[in-house]
Amino acid sequence: MLFIFIGANDARLPSKTDSSTLEEYQANLHAIISLLRNPDSEYYSPKTRILIITPPPIGELMIQSYTPTFAADPFVFNNRTRLFAEMAKQVAREAGVPSIDLYSEIENRVREEQATGTWSSTYDGYDNYLVDGVHLNNKGNMLLFNLIITTFQAVWPEMLPKTLPS
């Protein structure tokens, strides 16, 4: 089992050294998959299951509070991260592997909480899922866990814990 869960740092604006262009990100995802799928690769493993997980959305207000220089030197924006999430889903379709759209799952929950007034947050609701504007907190990790289990139920039911030998 391989979870490919990258992209938050790649989505940083190009002024940062650990950022990638969208095209580089796409090529990198395909390269990782190819390592396991290409018979000529030393890492060839045709039976390994691959799951791509999109980067989560960015809590811009949280990043601003954790990074005082954000306003003077912005390095990541949610709309750019959305493009990387879309690319991750595209690569999953191209490679024929399942994906989890963590970006949309969190975005939809934050929007719903904002619309219904069920959130109490300094950071537009993103702090319900993110610890610092980028990384998942306990609730965000629990959401991801549940999405992984749901994906396993749909795609690989034989891999669920209750079906594995003890």
Side-chain angles (χ1 to χ4, degrees):
M1 173 61 56
L2 174 66
F3 294 166
I4 303 175
F5 185 22
I6 59 175
N9 287 327
D10 296 271
R12 293 166 67 129
L13 292 177
S15 64
K16 297 298 178 182
T17 57
D18 57 352
S19 67
S20 299
T21 66
L22 203 52
E23 294 75 20
E24 289 169 329
Y25 179 67
Q26 178 183 29
N28 290 341
L29 289 174
H30 277 297
I32 292 167
I33 293 167
S34 180
L35 286 171
L36 297 174
R37 295 259 174 100
N38 182 344
D40 295 330
S41 168
E42 67 178 291
Y43 304 104
Y44 179 59
S45 181
K47 293 183 180 180
T48 297
R49 293 171 172 95
I50 300 171
L51 175 64
I52 293 179
I53 303 168
T54 69
I58 300 301
E60 292 176 7
L61 291 177
M62 292 180 77
I63 289 178
Q64 288 176 9
S65 74
Y66 284 94
T67 309
T69 59
F70 181 84
D73 183 22
F75 61 88
V76 65
F77 290 103
N78 205 21
N79 60 353
R80 182 168 160 83
T81 303
R82 179 184 50 76
L83 298 175
F84 280 72
E86 292 298 324
M87 182 57 72
K89 294 187 305 183
Q90 178 183 321
V91 169
R93 286 189 301 273
E94 291 168 357
V97 301
S99 66
I100 291 175
D101 188 357
L102 183 61
Y103 180 93
S104 293
E105 289 288 340
I106 293 176
E107 275 295 310
N108 292 339
R109 283 170 171 74
V110 167
R111 298 287 170 253
E112 182 179 321
E113 291 165 2
Q114 289 172 344
T116 60
T118 58
W119 64 284
S120 59
S121 166
T122 307
Y123 302 110
D124 292 339
Y126 289 97
D127 53 325
N128 289 332
Y129 301 94
L130 304 170
V131 70
D132 58 3
V134 178
H135 302 98
L136 299 176
N137 64 15
N138 288 344
K139 187 174 180 179
N141 277 307
M142 186 54 66
L143 172 62
L144 178 56
F145 170 78
N146 288 325
L147 293 169
I148 290 170
I149 293 299
T150 299
T151 301
F152 273 50
Q153 289 169 333
V155 180
W156 303 302
E158 72 281 4
M159 293 294 294
L160 290 170
K162 65 182 178 187
T163 63
L164 296 174
S166 45

